[in-house]
């Protein structure tokens, strides 16, 4: 069961039980849910309240970093907490949305509104820097929101429902969402990697979405047309950086190899980049960074390039089980983090 269902449910709880039962546990949908439902109190573990308090206090995860105009950052996390951090702070602050779901997709709109999406089609907005939250879900169907991208006339978001990957477009004020692209994923038995989820990036006026195991989708904003393309193999890792180059570490047959595309996935070529390093993130055609390991069981450290990736130099410091890196809005600063509190 999803961890949020382990929390005793009372009349004020925000989870929509009717929808959860209908969509996730259809065999239980015939139960009458007009009265508050929950676990029998005597059957709950004695330490559950303390465990819930601990989970909220630490709120694992620094997902989907988004930077505000003032230089501060917000991140998604597990258990419905948004974290905010400003350079110079020793720890990220926590802002409880009140929804016990994973928030995988986070962005900041041009007017400064924080927007967070995740499990159970949760889509929450805060106009006061995380103090209060309201639902912007509107008429979105049930699913998992994995990415959100502001565009000139509104918002694009990617919603996953089992094997279906759906792209919706809408405006914050209307709370109405138009489905503009629909894709289907198919797991490759021999080369597919379990646990690889769809992801989306806005690249110019094209919304790129991975469709594990071996395909990708393109939604063209100007024309409203979508298409699907083949990848060079089953996705292990996929990235898009600021040079608009698509990169993947993919399995064509047995070996996992790096590939890159300079034309939004129409053609792919083998990359000379090491298969043992994270996919590089380029700030432009010349400058970029990556994470690498000096050896087996070593912690990841940073490396940088100033010649378009032909050579890489080790950065000084910056180690400590790093998992992610991301650029500031002006592309002059790069940050790295693990999945807990360290930036």
């Amino acid at each position: 069961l999803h961890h949020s269902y382990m929390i005793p449910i009372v009349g004020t709880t925000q989870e929509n039980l009717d929808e959860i039962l209908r969509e996730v546990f259809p065999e239980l949908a015939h139960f009458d849910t007009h009265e508050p439902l929950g676990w029998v109190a005597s059957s709950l573990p004695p330490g559950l309240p303390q465990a819930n308090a601990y989970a909220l206090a630490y709120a694992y995860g620094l997902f989907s970093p988004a930077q505000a105009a003032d230089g501060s950052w917000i991140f998604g996390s597990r258990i419905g907490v948004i974290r905010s951090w400003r350079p110079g702070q020793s720890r990220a602050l926590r802002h409880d949305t009140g929804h016990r779901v994973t928030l995988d997709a986070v962005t900041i709109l041009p007017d400064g509104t924080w927007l967070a999406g995740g499990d159970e089609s949760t889509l929450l907005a805060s106009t006061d820097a995380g103090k209060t939250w309201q639902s912007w879900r509107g008429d979105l169907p049930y699913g998992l929101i994995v990415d959100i991208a502001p565009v000139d006339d509104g918002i694009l978001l990617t919603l996953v429902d089992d094997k279906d990957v759906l792209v919706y477009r809408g405006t914050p004020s209307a709370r109405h969402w138009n489905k503009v692209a629909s894709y289907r994923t198919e797991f490759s038995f021999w080369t597919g990697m379990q646990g690889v989820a769809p992801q989306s990036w806005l690249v110019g006026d094209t919304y790129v979405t991975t469709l594990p195991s071996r395909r990708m989708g393109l939604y063209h904003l100007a024309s409203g047309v979508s298409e699907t393309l083949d990848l060079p193999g089953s996705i292990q890792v996929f990235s898009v950086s600021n040079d608009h180059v698509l990169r993947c570490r993919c399995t064509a047959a047995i070996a996992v190899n790096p590939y890159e595309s300079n034309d939004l996935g129409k053609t792919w070529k083998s990359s000379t980049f090491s298969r043992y390093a994270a996919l590089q993130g380029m700030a432009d055609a010349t400058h970029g960074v990556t994470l690498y390991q000096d050896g087996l069981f070593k912690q990841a450290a940073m490396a940088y390039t100033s010649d378009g990736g032909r050579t890489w130099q080790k950065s000084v410091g910056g180690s400590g089980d790093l998992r992610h890196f991301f650029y500031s809005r002006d592309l002059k600063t790069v940050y790295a983090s693990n999945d807990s509190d360290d930036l």
Side-chain angles (χ1 to χ4, degrees), residues 317-332:
S319 61
D321 194 26
L322 300 177
R323 301 293 182 88
H324 316 283
F325 59 84
F326 44 93
Y327 285 96
S328 59
R329 280 188 174 193
D330 61 10
L331 303 179
K332 294 180 179 179

Side-chain angles (χ1 to χ4, degrees), residues 11-33:
T12 56
T13 301
Q14 298 181 38
E15 278 81 9
N16 185 336
L17 288 178
D18 289 320
E19 186 175 36
I20 292 171
L21 289 177
R22 184 175 65 251
E23 298 289 343
V24 183
F25 307 113
E27 65 276 13
L28 303 179
H30 65 280
F31 285 107
D32 180 7
T33 62

Side-chain angles (χ1 to χ4, degrees), residues 147-218:
D147 279 293
I148 308 171
V151 293
D152 289 340
D153 58 349
I155 300 166
L156 283 172
L157 63 82
T158 305
L159 184 144
V160 178
D161 179 11
D162 194 18
K163 293 184 178 182
D164 293 316
V165 181
L166 311 171
V167 177
Y168 286 88
R169 192 171 184 174
T171 57
S173 57
R175 307 293 193 275
H176 170 66
W177 300 92
N178 296 307
K179 183 168 66 177
V180 295
S182 178
Y183 309 112
R184 185 83 171 167
T185 62
E186 182 177 349
F187 184 74
S188 177
F189 180 80
W190 295 109
T191 59
M193 185 174 182
Q194 294 283 358
V196 176
Q199 295 175 276
S200 295
W201 295 263
L202 186 62
V203 184
D205 64 350
T206 301
Y207 196 55
V208 177
T209 301
T210 58
L211 307 171
S213 293
R214 304 177 70 100
R215 307 209 78 192
M216 59 178 285
L218 302 178

